[in-house]
C-alpha cells in the first residue's frame, strides 16, 4: 500500500521568509513518481513538479526547490522569499509504476503568507 | 483554451434532483478521473477511465454515475444525493497507457456542489 504523510497541516509565515513543506512517503514499488501540486483559493490543483524514484537530483525552479531523499523517503518543498501569492494548499502525491495513473495524495499543507 | 474545463463551477441541488457535471480536456490524454474533495478530508479518487473504459470505481455509491463517451469528455451524473455529498468535485486527466504515463495529473477548477 502507498501512503503520503504531510505532517504540517497549516503554516503561516511573513512575506520574504523561506518556508519548507515536508512530505514523507511509503511505497513498495521499486519505481515510483512523486509530485507536488498547488491549490489556490480558486480550487484548481496545479501540477508543480514530478520526480522519478531513480533520479535523486534536487531541482530548483525560481523561488521553488525540491529535496528528494530516498534514504529518508522524503520529498520536501522549499519556497524561498515567500510571497502573498504563494498562499495556497500544497499537496504531495505518489504514484507507482504498477498504477501510474492512480496517485495517492497527502492531506495537504495550508500555507498562508502574510504581507 | 485551458487544459481541463469543468462545468458548472457551482451547483446547488435538492436531494431529489438529477444533475450532471461535465469535464472536457484538450491535452490529448487518454486517462480521466473524478476526485472528491470534502472539507477537512483528503482528496478521494472516485473513478478512473482509460481509453473511455472505466478501470477503477473506488466504492462510490450508485447515486454517482460516471460516463465517458470519448477520451476528451467525462461526465458525472448525480441523482438522489445526500447533504454529505456536498463537496468540490475535481476532474483530472493524465497520460494514459501507451503514452509513457508518469502519473502527473492536470486538474480542472472543480465543480462546487451543495446538496440541500
Amino acid at each position: 500500500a502507498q501512503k503520503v504523510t504531510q505532517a504540517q497541516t497549516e503554516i503561516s509565515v511573513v512575506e520574504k521568509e523561506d518556508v519548507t513543506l515536508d512530505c514523507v512517503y511509503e511505497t513498495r514499488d521499486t519505481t515510483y513518481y512523486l509530485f507536488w501540486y498547488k491549490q489556490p483559493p480558486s480550487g484548481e490543483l496545479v501540477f508543480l513538479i514530478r520526480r522519478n524514484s531513480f533520479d535523486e537530483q534536487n531541482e530548483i525552479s525560481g523561488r521553488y526547490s525540491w529535496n528528494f531523499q530516498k534514504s529518508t523517503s522524503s520529498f520536501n518543498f522549499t519556497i524561498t522569499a515567500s510571497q502573498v501569492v504563494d498562499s495556497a494548499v500544497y499537496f504531495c502525491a505518489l504514484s507507482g509504476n504498477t498504477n501510474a495513473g492512480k496517485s495517492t495524495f497527502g492531506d495537504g499543507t495550508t500555507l498562508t503568507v502574510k504581507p | 483554451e485551458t487544459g481541463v474545463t469543468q462545468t458548472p463551477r457551482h451547483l446547488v441541488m435538492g436531494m431529489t434532483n438529477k444533475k450532471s457535471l461535465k469535464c472536457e480536456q484538450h491535452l490529448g490524454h487518454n486517462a480521466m478521473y473524478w476526485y472528491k474533495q470534502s472539507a477537512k478530508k483528503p482528496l478521494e479518487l472516485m473513478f478512473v477511465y482509460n481509453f473511455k473504459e472505466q478501470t477503477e470505481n473506488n466504492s462510490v455509491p450508485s447515486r454517482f454515475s460516471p460516463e465517458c463517451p470519448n477520451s476528451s469528455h467525462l461526465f458525472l451524473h448525480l441523482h438522489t444525493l445526500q447533504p454529505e455529498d456536498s463537496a468540490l468535485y475535481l476532474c483530472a486527466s493524465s497520460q494514459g497507457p501507451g503514452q509513457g504515463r508518469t502519473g502527473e495529473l492536470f486538474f480542472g477548477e472543480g465543480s462546487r456542489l451543495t446538496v440541500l
Side-chain angles (χ1 to χ4, degrees), chain B residues 6-11 20-22 34 87-91 108-114:
Chain B
Q6 288 187 244
T7 55
R9 293 292 313 282
H10 300 273
L11 178 62
S20 296
L21 306 180
K22 178 183 176 182
W34 280 116
L88 180 68
Y89 289 85
L90 291 158
C91 174
E109 291 183 301
S111 294
R112 174 75 62 187
L113 173 66
T114 302

Side-chain angles (χ1 to χ4, degrees), chain A residues 35 37 39 50 100-102 107, chain B residues 33 37 42 56 102-105:
Chain A
F35 313 90
Y37 294 87
Q39 187 179 33
R50 179 192 77 233
K102 184 178 172 182
D107 289 353
Chain B
Y33 313 77
Q37 187 177 32
E56 182 105 11
T102 48
E104 56 264 40
L105 298 165

Side-chain angles (χ1 to χ4, degrees), chain A residues 25 29-34 50-58 68-70 95-97, chain B residues 100-102:
Chain A
Y25 63 91
D29 286 335
T30 53
T31 299
Y32 52 89
Y33 306 94
L34 294 160
R50 179 192 77 233
R51 216 64 189 132
N52 306 334
S53 56
F54 45 84
D55 181 4
E56 287 194 69
Q57 189 173 17
N58 293 325
F68 174 33
Q69 292 194 345
K70 287 181 76 170
S95 72
N97 65 325
Chain B
R101 71 192 321 183
T102 48

